[in-house]
Amino acid sequence: MGEPQGSMRILVTGGSGLVGKAIQKVVADGAGLPGEDWVFVSSKDADLTDAAQTRALFEKVRPTHVIHLAAMVGGLFRNIKYNLDFWRNNVHINDNVLHSAFEVGACKVVSCLSTCIFPDKTTYPIDETMIHNGPPHSSNFGYSYAKRMIDVQNRAYFQQYGCTFTAVIPTNVFGPHDNFNIEDGHVLPGLIHKVHLAKSSGSALTVWGTGKPRRQFIYSLDLAQLFIWVLREYNEVEPIILSVGEEDEVSIKEAAEAVVEAMDFHGEVTFDTTKSDGQFKKTASNSKLRTYLPDFRFTPFKQAVKETCAWFTDNYEQARK
Amino acid sequence: MGEPQGSMRILVTGGSGLVGKAIQKVVADGAGLPGEDWVFVSSKDADLTDAAQTRALFEKVRPTHVIHLAAMVGGLFRNIKYNLDFWRNNVHINDNVLHSAFEVGACKVVSCLSTCIFPDKTTYPIDETMIHNGPPHSSNFGYSYAKRMIDVQNRAYFQQYGCTFTAVIPTNVFGPHDNFNIEDGHVLPGLIHKVHLAKSSGSALTVWGTGKPRRQFIYSLDLAQLFIWVLREYNEVEPIILSVGEEDEVSIKEAAEAVVEAMDFHGEVTFDTTKSDGQFKKTASNSKLRTYLPDFRFTPFKQGEPRPHSPPLGGPHTCWPAPASPSCSLPGQR
């Protein structure tokens, strides 16, 4: 690959995942600009835990910009068991990507954090200034600290070299191409898969927990649009929360009801209260986003759920589950 | 190198530094036990920022235990400028050492943190539970976070594999073989070097700052004895502060006076209040240490200050608990 044709060559790591696929779709549907050359890579292209492979990838692609989505991720139970692997693999991936980007002269890197990395003991709503104000929840401390250290490393690149390496902090993302595995995946794709199975077998839908915990959900296609805006326009090193507002927080019960409605499920809905609820809430403020983009309109939750359910039903065979 | 002769082969990284040299001396003076094989290495033996070199070193030495002292360190001004290098180099060194130790089956690693990594906004005295309770001071955040992540990685080795990888947290260390560079070094060696120069040139001693900030100083030879005790006897994963008590905190002015007295300096002592004072205090609790070793006696502060060209006056007077026999398996028996 030679020099980028226009002004930007954007390398997207983790390009085959939930968020990567959403960015691909949004770009393919016309969000790309003339002069932008988008390159999506996945683990098939390089093992990012390996410094030499990562460096070779960056020297081949020679990006001017990077959206860094690749990570070792997992559900609650896998995290609890493998904190060392989640810490080391993610630290290696992140250092390899950030430093390779730096060494090939990329002028901007946008990484992806998560609201689950915030301090376990905190006030609400959480905001961008609070990331390091105390230890994260102990269940996934390896993953959480590795993500937090992206922010530390970003600030270090800025302090020592003036680079604009930054990060976004989405709340609960959902959409097509998610991991719909009931054991390992997140709550919304888990509910969608469960309803699908309940419909097929004529059984009840069993929601884990009381249904009372509250979450802010962001549709992957909305997140993709915001990611592209951050890449082009957001020039702070401090991260930015990308989320619907606090007023759009819903309970797990309400989320389950949206899935039931979208998939036209008429069976019984029960709550298995022996299962853990997880964190009661993680309410995040999107004030910073609203200062920049007061008019950005999120896809209404029920519509986004309906589209995701339809995708799952249409793509059941190939879906990750 | 074959299997350790006795029950322990201890690899000490950073063996040529302030603390490494102190451990060497204490071991040479008789603190080692039969069956203990001590191996001190420095940057001449391997570049620990390089995973392959580190792995080769560990495979050659095959330690059962590790005291990990090696780090990229520097004074305030170097830290402020190079936060990225301090972060990356130390993370690489630490990951290479910890993971090589794990892979060759070492049963214990004792790393070295610092009270400067604690949260900038905090209550006093600070203790071992408070390390991650907020961001460190911004001037050296790269170094501080790299050190903090040793504790995170230790806890992860324990959670996933049950390893006893732990750490100590000394307060201000001083002693022979320190970095006495006035620009880059720490306060006490800096004062010693300044008095030495002031005596030679017949000028005044200028202490930077107001002299009011307070510090707990720990003599490197005392720290070395405690490090060896931790290696043998301390089996928690949570770190342990190694320091004199809060009651032995002294002001920079008092520290300067002790140096002046020890070096028989009779010139003028002035305070350059245009220079930064740094943190006013970092008072740390040594309660946890005292719970384990109520009778450990630190070398009195004034006695512990060496003249640059002579050995420390007297020797440390310490009490040892009876050493227990090491109980971990040899490499390969994980």
Side-chain angles (χ1 to χ4, degrees), chain B residues 64-86:
Chain B
T64 57
H65 294 66
V66 181
I67 290 181
H68 172 42
L69 306 172
M72 176 179 173
V73 300
L76 179 67
F77 297 107
R78 208 152 74 97
N79 264 284
I80 284 178
K81 267 190 86 168
Y82 298 108
N83 274 290
L84 181 71
D85 293 349
F86 276 94

PDB file of all heavy atoms in Angstrom, chain B residues 64-86:
ATOM      1  N   THR B  64      14.012 -19.783  42.093  1.00  0.00           N
ATOM      2  CA  THR B  64      12.792 -20.187  42.795  1.00  0.00           C
ATOM      3  C   THR B  64      12.114 -18.949  43.380  1.00  0.00           C
ATOM      4  O   THR B  64      10.922 -18.979  43.647  1.00  0.00           O
ATOM      5  CB  THR B  64      13.111 -21.142  43.955  1.00  0.00           C
ATOM      6  OG1 THR B  64      14.030 -20.485  44.835  1.00  0.00           O
ATOM      7  CG2 THR B  64      13.742 -22.431  43.431  1.00  0.00           C
ATOM      8  N   HIS B  65      12.894 -17.894  43.586  1.00  0.00           N
ATOM      9  CA  HIS B  65      12.399 -16.658  44.179  1.00  0.00           C
ATOM     10  C   HIS B  65      13.012 -15.485  43.433  1.00  0.00           C
ATOM     11  O   HIS B  65      14.130 -15.585  42.908  1.00  0.00           O
ATOM     12  CB  HIS B  65      12.820 -16.559  45.655  1.00  0.00           C
ATOM     13  CG  HIS B  65      12.196 -17.593  46.536  1.00  0.00           C
ATOM     14  ND1 HIS B  65      12.473 -18.937  46.426  1.00  0.00           N
ATOM     15  CD2 HIS B  65      11.294 -17.475  47.542  1.00  0.00           C
ATOM     16  CE1 HIS B  65      11.760 -19.603  47.334  1.00  0.00           C
ATOM     17  NE2 HIS B  65      11.043 -18.748  48.018  1.00  0.00           N
ATOM     18  N   VAL B  66      12.294 -14.374  43.431  1.00  0.00           N
ATOM     19  CA  VAL B  66      12.781 -13.176  42.754  1.00  0.00           C
ATOM     20  C   VAL B  66      12.545 -11.961  43.636  1.00  0.00           C
ATOM     21  O   VAL B  66      11.462 -11.823  44.213  1.00  0.00           O
ATOM     22  CB  VAL B  66      12.051 -12.961  41.403  1.00  0.00           C
ATOM     23  CG1 VAL B  66      12.570 -11.718  40.679  1.00  0.00           C
ATOM     24  CG2 VAL B  66      12.194 -14.189  40.519  1.00  0.00           C
ATOM     25  N   ILE B  67      13.569 -11.127  43.756  1.00  0.00           N
ATOM     26  CA  ILE B  67      13.380  -9.781  44.310  1.00  0.00           C
ATOM     27  C   ILE B  67      13.552  -8.841  43.120  1.00  0.00           C
ATOM     28  O   ILE B  67      14.626  -8.791  42.516  1.00  0.00           O
ATOM     29  CB  ILE B  67      14.392  -9.466  45.426  1.00  0.00           C
ATOM     30  CG1 ILE B  67      14.069 -10.307  46.673  1.00  0.00           C
ATOM     31  CG2 ILE B  67      14.357  -7.981  45.770  1.00  0.00           C
ATOM     32  CD1 ILE B  67      14.997 -10.056  47.864  1.00  0.00           C
ATOM     33  N   HIS B  68      12.490  -8.162  42.780  1.00  0.00           N
ATOM     34  CA  HIS B  68      12.469  -7.377  41.552  1.00  0.00           C
ATOM     35  C   HIS B  68      12.597  -5.890  41.880  1.00  0.00           C
ATOM     36  O   HIS B  68      11.634  -5.255  42.305  1.00  0.00           O
ATOM     37  CB  HIS B  68      11.180  -7.659  40.789  1.00  0.00           C
ATOM     38  CG  HIS B  68      10.972  -6.760  39.606  1.00  0.00           C
ATOM     39  ND1 HIS B  68      11.985  -6.419  38.731  1.00  0.00           N
ATOM     40  CD2 HIS B  68       9.860  -6.124  39.145  1.00  0.00           C
ATOM     41  CE1 HIS B  68      11.513  -5.619  37.803  1.00  0.00           C
ATOM     42  NE2 HIS B  68      10.231  -5.420  38.019  1.00  0.00           N
ATOM     43  N   LEU B  69      13.805  -5.355  41.676  1.00  0.00           N
ATOM     44  CA  LEU B  69      14.107  -3.960  41.998  1.00  0.00           C
ATOM     45  C   LEU B  69      14.332  -3.114  40.748  1.00  0.00           C
ATOM     46  O   LEU B  69      14.350  -1.895  40.824  1.00  0.00           O
ATOM     47  CB  LEU B  69      15.373  -3.866  42.853  1.00  0.00           C
ATOM     48  CG  LEU B  69      15.405  -4.696  44.139  1.00  0.00           C
ATOM     49  CD1 LEU B  69      16.789  -4.643  44.776  1.00  0.00           C
ATOM     50  CD2 LEU B  69      14.351  -4.204  45.121  1.00  0.00           C
ATOM     51  N   ALA B  70      14.538  -3.755  39.602  1.00  0.00           N
ATOM     52  CA  ALA B  70      14.919  -3.017  38.397  1.00  0.00           C
ATOM     53  C   ALA B  70      13.784  -2.126  37.923  1.00  0.00           C
ATOM     54  O   ALA B  70      12.626  -2.534  37.901  1.00  0.00           O
ATOM     55  CB  ALA B  70      15.294  -3.999  37.289  1.00  0.00           C
ATOM     56  N   ALA B  71      14.124  -0.922  37.554  1.00  0.00           N
ATOM     57  CA  ALA B  71      13.122   0.009  37.036  1.00  0.00           C
ATOM     58  C   ALA B  71      13.816   1.159  36.345  1.00  0.00           C
ATOM     59  O   ALA B  71      15.009   1.388  36.521  1.00  0.00           O
ATOM     60  CB  ALA B  71      12.250   0.544  38.177  1.00  0.00           C
ATOM     61  N   MET B  72      13.059   1.875  35.529  1.00  0.00           N
ATOM     62  CA  MET B  72      13.529   3.168  35.007  1.00  0.00           C
ATOM     63  C   MET B  72      13.089   4.199  36.042  1.00  0.00           C
ATOM     64  O   MET B  72      11.895   4.349  36.301  1.00  0.00           O
ATOM     65  CB  MET B  72      12.891   3.454  33.656  1.00  0.00           C
ATOM     66  CG  MET B  72      13.251   4.824  33.109  1.00  0.00           C
ATOM     67  SD  MET B  72      12.482   5.095  31.474  1.00  0.00           S
ATOM     68  CE  MET B  72      12.900   6.823  31.182  1.00  0.00           C
ATOM     69  N   VAL B  73      14.049   4.856  36.649  1.00  0.00           N
ATOM     70  CA  VAL B  73      13.732   5.838  37.688  1.00  0.00           C
ATOM     71  C   VAL B  73      14.371   7.165  37.339  1.00  0.00           C
ATOM     72  O   VAL B  73      15.282   7.237  36.516  1.00  0.00           O
ATOM     73  CB  VAL B  73      14.218   5.371  39.086  1.00  0.00           C
ATOM     74  CG1 VAL B  73      13.563   4.074  39.488  1.00  0.00           C
ATOM     75  CG2 VAL B  73      15.721   5.244  39.109  1.00  0.00           C
ATOM     76  N   GLY B  74      13.885   8.222  37.961  1.00  0.00           N
ATOM     77  CA  GLY B  74      14.486   9.528  37.694  1.00  0.00           C
ATOM     78  C   GLY B  74      13.959  10.553  38.655  1.00  0.00           C
ATOM     79  O   GLY B  74      13.013  10.304  39.380  1.00  0.00           O
ATOM     80  N   GLY B  75      14.557  11.682  38.665  1.00  0.00           N
ATOM     81  CA  GLY B  75      14.101  12.754  39.534  1.00  0.00           C
ATOM     82  C   GLY B  75      12.858  13.424  38.974  1.00  0.00           C
ATOM     83  O   GLY B  75      12.345  13.074  37.907  1.00  0.00           O
ATOM     84  N   LEU B  76      12.396  14.426  39.696  1.00  0.00           N
ATOM     85  CA  LEU B  76      11.133  15.099  39.369  1.00  0.00           C
ATOM     86  C   LEU B  76      11.116  15.626  37.941  1.00  0.00           C
ATOM     87  O   LEU B  76      10.151  15.429  37.207  1.00  0.00           O
ATOM     88  CB  LEU B  76      10.918  16.260  40.354  1.00  0.00           C
ATOM     89  CG  LEU B  76       9.654  17.093  40.139  1.00  0.00           C
ATOM     90  CD1 LEU B  76       8.405  16.283  40.423  1.00  0.00           C
ATOM     91  CD2 LEU B  76       9.679  18.323  41.038  1.00  0.00           C
ATOM     92  N   PHE B  77      12.193  16.302  37.538  1.00  0.00           N
ATOM     93  CA  PHE B  77      12.171  16.984  36.243  1.00  0.00           C
ATOM     94  C   PHE B  77      12.205  16.026  35.064  1.00  0.00           C
ATOM     95  O   PHE B  77      11.575  16.262  34.038  1.00  0.00           O
ATOM     96  CB  PHE B  77      13.311  18.008  36.167  1.00  0.00           C
ATOM     97  CG  PHE B  77      13.141  19.071  37.207  1.00  0.00           C
ATOM     98  CD1 PHE B  77      13.959  19.117  38.325  1.00  0.00           C
ATOM     99  CD2 PHE B  77      12.115  20.005  37.105  1.00  0.00           C
ATOM    100  CE1 PHE B  77      13.781  20.070  39.312  1.00  0.00           C
ATOM    101  CE2 PHE B  77      11.929  20.967  38.085  1.00  0.00           C
ATOM    102  CZ  PHE B  77      12.762  21.000  39.188  1.00  0.00           C
ATOM    103  N   ARG B  78      12.919  14.914  35.229  1.00  0.00           N
ATOM    104  CA  ARG B  78      12.948  13.938  34.138  1.00  0.00           C
ATOM    105  C   ARG B  78      11.600  13.243  34.008  1.00  0.00           C
ATOM    106  O   ARG B  78      11.109  12.995  32.911  1.00  0.00           O
ATOM    107  CB  ARG B  78      14.060  12.916  34.395  1.00  0.00           C
ATOM    108  CG  ARG B  78      14.622  12.316  33.120  1.00  0.00           C
ATOM    109  CD  ARG B  78      16.064  11.885  33.275  1.00  0.00           C
ATOM    110  NE  ARG B  78      16.215  10.669  34.063  1.00  0.00           N
ATOM    111  CZ  ARG B  78      16.338   9.444  33.551  1.00  0.00           C
ATOM    112  NH1 ARG B  78      16.304   9.267  32.256  1.00  0.00           N
ATOM    113  NH2 ARG B  78      16.490   8.405  34.351  1.00  0.00           N
ATOM    114  N   ASN B  79      10.979  12.961  35.142  1.00  0.00           N
ATOM    115  CA  ASN B  79       9.662  12.338  35.123  1.00  0.00           C
ATOM    116  C   ASN B  79       8.634  13.209  34.407  1.00  0.00           C
ATOM    117  O   ASN B  79       7.841  12.724  33.613  1.00  0.00           O
ATOM    118  CB  ASN B  79       9.173  12.098  36.566  1.00  0.00           C
ATOM    119  CG  ASN B  79       9.448  10.694  37.057  1.00  0.00           C
ATOM    120  OD1 ASN B  79       8.763   9.760  36.675  1.00  0.00           O
ATOM    121  ND2 ASN B  79      10.463  10.535  37.869  1.00  0.00           N
ATOM    122  N   ILE B  80       8.667  14.506  34.708  1.00  0.00           N
ATOM    123  CA  ILE B  80       7.681  15.420  34.125  1.00  0.00           C
ATOM    124  C   ILE B  80       7.751  15.403  32.603  1.00  0.00           C
ATOM    125  O   ILE B  80       6.738  15.485  31.915  1.00  0.00           O
ATOM    126  CB  ILE B  80       7.906  16.852  34.653  1.00  0.00           C
ATOM    127  CG1 ILE B  80       7.389  16.963  36.090  1.00  0.00           C
ATOM    128  CG2 ILE B  80       7.227  17.882  33.786  1.00  0.00           C
ATOM    129  CD1 ILE B  80       7.616  18.330  36.715  1.00  0.00           C
ATOM    130  N   LYS B  81       8.972  15.277  32.061  1.00  0.00           N
ATOM    131  CA  LYS B  81       9.159  15.370  30.608  1.00  0.00           C
ATOM    132  C   LYS B  81       8.883  14.083  29.862  1.00  0.00           C
ATOM    133  O   LYS B  81       8.587  14.117  28.676  1.00  0.00           O
ATOM    134  CB  LYS B  81      10.612  15.754  30.306  1.00  0.00           C
ATOM    135  CG  LYS B  81      10.869  17.226  30.144  1.00  0.00           C
ATOM    136  CD  LYS B  81      12.264  17.476  29.625  1.00  0.00           C
ATOM    137  CE  LYS B  81      12.308  17.409  28.088  1.00  0.00           C
ATOM    138  NZ  LYS B  81      13.579  17.933  27.549  1.00  0.00           N
ATOM    139  N   TYR B  82       9.060  12.954  30.550  1.00  0.00           N
ATOM    140  CA  TYR B  82       9.073  11.678  29.836  1.00  0.00           C
ATOM    141  C   TYR B  82       8.080  10.670  30.404  1.00  0.00           C
ATOM    142  O   TYR B  82       8.411   9.499  30.590  1.00  0.00           O
ATOM    143  CB  TYR B  82      10.494  11.088  29.862  1.00  0.00           C
ATOM    144  CG  TYR B  82      11.511  11.965  29.162  1.00  0.00           C
ATOM    145  CD1 TYR B  82      12.469  12.685  29.881  1.00  0.00           C
ATOM    146  CD2 TYR B  82      11.487  12.103  27.771  1.00  0.00           C
ATOM    147  CE1 TYR B  82      13.381  13.504  29.240  1.00  0.00           C
ATOM    148  CE2 TYR B  82      12.401  12.917  27.121  1.00  0.00           C
ATOM    149  CZ  TYR B  82      13.340  13.621  27.857  1.00  0.00           C
ATOM    150  OH  TYR B  82      14.235  14.435  27.232  1.00  0.00           O
ATOM    151  N   ASN B  83       6.866  11.137  30.652  1.00  0.00           N
ATOM    152  CA  ASN B  83       5.871  10.234  31.233  1.00  0.00           C
ATOM    153  C   ASN B  83       5.623   9.000  30.377  1.00  0.00           C
ATOM    154  O   ASN B  83       5.397   7.923  30.901  1.00  0.00           O
ATOM    155  CB  ASN B  83       4.550  10.973  31.469  1.00  0.00           C
ATOM    156  CG  ASN B  83       4.534  11.671  32.812  1.00  0.00           C
ATOM    157  OD1 ASN B  83       4.480  11.032  33.854  1.00  0.00           O
ATOM    158  ND2 ASN B  83       4.612  12.986  32.808  1.00  0.00           N
ATOM    159  N   LEU B  84       5.656   9.139  29.064  1.00  0.00           N
ATOM    160  CA  LEU B  84       5.423   7.977  28.201  1.00  0.00           C
ATOM    161  C   LEU B  84       6.525   6.941  28.391  1.00  0.00           C
ATOM    162  O   LEU B  84       6.246   5.752  28.581  1.00  0.00           O
ATOM    163  CB  LEU B  84       5.363   8.388  26.729  1.00  0.00           C
ATOM    164  CG  LEU B  84       5.094   7.206  25.789  1.00  0.00           C
ATOM    165  CD1 LEU B  84       3.671   6.719  25.924  1.00  0.00           C
ATOM    166  CD2 LEU B  84       5.383   7.595  24.334  1.00  0.00           C
ATOM    167  N   ASP B  85       7.768   7.369  28.374  1.00  0.00           N
ATOM    168  CA  ASP B  85       8.879   6.430  28.517  1.00  0.00           C
ATOM    169  C   ASP B  85       8.863   5.773  29.892  1.00  0.00           C
ATOM    170  O   ASP B  85       9.112   4.574  30.014  1.00  0.00           O
ATOM    171  CB  ASP B  85      10.216   7.153  28.317  1.00  0.00           C
ATOM    172  CG  ASP B  85      10.399   7.653  26.892  1.00  0.00           C
ATOM    173  OD1 ASP B  85       9.608   7.262  26.013  1.00  0.00           O
ATOM    174  OD2 ASP B  85      11.326   8.450  26.657  1.00  0.00           O
ATOM    175  N   PHE B  86       8.580   6.575  30.924  1.00  0.00           N
ATOM    176  CA  PHE B  86       8.527   5.992  32.268  1.00  0.00           C
ATOM    177  C   PHE B  86       7.403   4.963  32.344  1.00  0.00           C
ATOM    178  O   PHE B  86       7.546   3.916  32.972  1.00  0.00           O
ATOM    179  CB  PHE B  86       8.352   7.076  33.340  1.00  0.00           C
ATOM    180  CG  PHE B  86       9.654   7.721  33.747  1.00  0.00           C
ATOM    181  CD1 PHE B  86      10.100   8.892  33.140  1.00  0.00           C
ATOM    182  CD2 PHE B  86      10.439   7.147  34.730  1.00  0.00           C
ATOM    183  CE1 PHE B  86      11.309   9.477  33.504  1.00  0.00           C
ATOM    184  CE2 PHE B  86      11.657   7.728  35.102  1.00  0.00           C
ATOM    185  CZ  PHE B  86      12.087   8.893  34.490  1.00  0.00           C
TER     186      PHE B  86
END
